[in-house]
Amino acid sequence: MGLYRTKAIVLRSRKFAETDSLLTLLTRKKGKITVIAKGVRKSNSSLRGGVQLFTYNDMLLYEGRNLDIVTQSQCLEAFTSIQENMEAMAAASYWCELLDKFVPDGERDLSLFALALAGFHLLALDYDELTMRALEVKLLLQRGYMPELERCVSCGRILQHGEPIGFSAVKGGVLCGSCRQGDVVPMTSESVRAWQQLQRIELTKLGRLKVSGGGLSALDKALEKYLAVQLECPLKARPILREIVQTPQN
């Protein structure tokens, strides 16, 4: 047991005991861990600024018998613009849920940590639907959940431009016009191509990608099904984000 320092992103925060909080952190040193911040809910706690949701921090932790303990935390980036925008806040909550669900406890992965942090940077700049779809696709790619997007997963035929396309989340890929039956999500050549482009494009170059509203809608529905199948459960924050985005803000 001893002290160690690590960079950490706060994904979840839950009340614990009278004045403590349990935090789910994504860290550079230990991957995803659950820690305790003692007395952090007291008004005079020196930890409060460095353990808030959606923040990137430099933390000093003590290795406890069951849970590690936050002893110091300096906020490096607060992403305050996320806190000031309802859509961005809902998107950040959803990004945290995705990371929490897809990342097993204790798995150290620096490329995943970089993707997680890049996601918060993007959401802090300006939330839009394509950004969220890009983050979903990049996370699926990073975790090794790549669907078949070129050949029909039923008959193996290469898809032809303009033909009716379906997406089967259970079978893990696209279906041609002849095989498109059962529980499938209708897709278009544009939405399939957008998924492929999102797998390849750098997040810093997302602005170059143009997708129509119809293409984004089809991609959204296919990804929602695919994510639920891979996780074996629906994501709670995703419908909340959709509702907020579709509700006019005053």
Side-chain angles (χ1 to χ4, degrees):
M1 296 185 182
L3 289 169
Y4 66 95
R5 185 176 296 277
T6 185
K7 302 293 194 301
I9 302 168
V10 183
L11 301 181
R12 292 182 65 195
S13 178
R14 290 154 285 167
K15 292 180 180 179
F16 184 73
E18 187 174 346
T19 60
D20 305 340
S21 289
L22 287 178
L23 308 176
T24 300
L25 306 177
L26 186 63
T27 73
R28 282 181 57 87
K29 183 161 285 189
K30 286 191 171 186
K32 192 183 77 172
I33 58 174
T34 299
V35 303
I36 187 167
K38 291 182 176 291
V40 73
R41 294 185 1 249
K42 294 180 180 178
S43 59
N44 61 347
S45 172
S46 60
L47 289 177
R48 294 187 69 168
V51 297
Q52 300 301 308
L53 274 175
F54 318 143
T55 57
Y56 174 48
N57 310 283
D58 182 17
M59 289 188 171
L60 187 66
L61 299 106
Y62 177 78
E63 291 182 316
R65 189 176 301 277
N66 297 311
L67 292 172
D68 292 356
I69 302 165
V70 183
T71 61
Q72 294 178 19
S73 186
Q74 178 186 0
C75 182
L76 301 176
E77 293 190 67
F79 302 112
T80 52
S81 59
I82 289 178
Q83 311 286 348
E84 297 166 355
N85 182 290
M86 187 70 73
E87 290 183 3
M89 190 179 297
S93 296
Y94 176 46
W95 183 228
C96 285
E97 184 183 13
L98 278 173
L99 293 166
D100 192 20
K101 294 287 188 183
F102 271 103
V103 182
D105 291 340
E107 181 184 300
R108 183 173 182 263
D109 188 327
L110 295 182
S111 64
L112 174 68
F113 187 86
L115 173 61
L117 188 57
F120 287 104
H121 280 293
L122 282 175
L123 295 175
L125 285 173
D126 184 27
Y127 169 78
D128 61 38
E129 188 177 353
L130 184 60
T131 297
M132 201 70 250
R133 301 293 79 81
L135 292 177
E136 290 172 332
V137 168
K138 291 297 189 186
L139 183 59
L140 285 167
L141 181 64
Q142 202 279 340
R143 303 310 293 167
Y145 296 103
M146 292 177 288
E148 174 56 61
L149 297 172
E150 294 185 359
R151 294 178 178 271
C152 174
V153 290
S154 182
C155 70
R157 181 170 65 82
I158 295 178
L159 297 182
Q160 301 299 310
H161 180 75
E163 75 170 303
I165 302 170
F167 181 84
S168 172
V170 174
K171 293 181 178 180
V174 290
L175 293 166
C176 67
S178 301
C179 299
R180 191 180 69 160
Q181 52 186 298
D183 184 20
V184 300
V185 178
M187 294 190 79
T188 61
S189 296
E190 181 195 21
S191 54
V192 172
R193 186 172 63 254
W195 194 327
Q196 293 170 324
Q197 290 173 322
L198 288 174
Q199 289 185 157
R200 296 189 297 263
I201 196 170
E202 295 178 19
L203 288 174
T204 55
K205 299 178 181 177
L206 267 182
R208 300 179 184 181
L209 191 57
K210 305 300 179 186
V211 187
S212 70
L216 271 176
S217 178
L219 181 61
D220 172 35
K221 292 172 183 175
L223 275 165
E224 182 171 31
K225 284 270 191 179
Y226 191 59
L227 288 163
V229 167
Q230 299 309 317
L231 293 171
E232 299 182 350
C233 66
L235 289 151
K236 295 178 181 179
R238 206 176 195 278
I240 296 173
L241 172 59
R242 180 183 292 120
E243 183 178 346
I244 290 174
V245 170
Q246 293 176 348
T247 301
Q249 304 296 312
N250 294 328

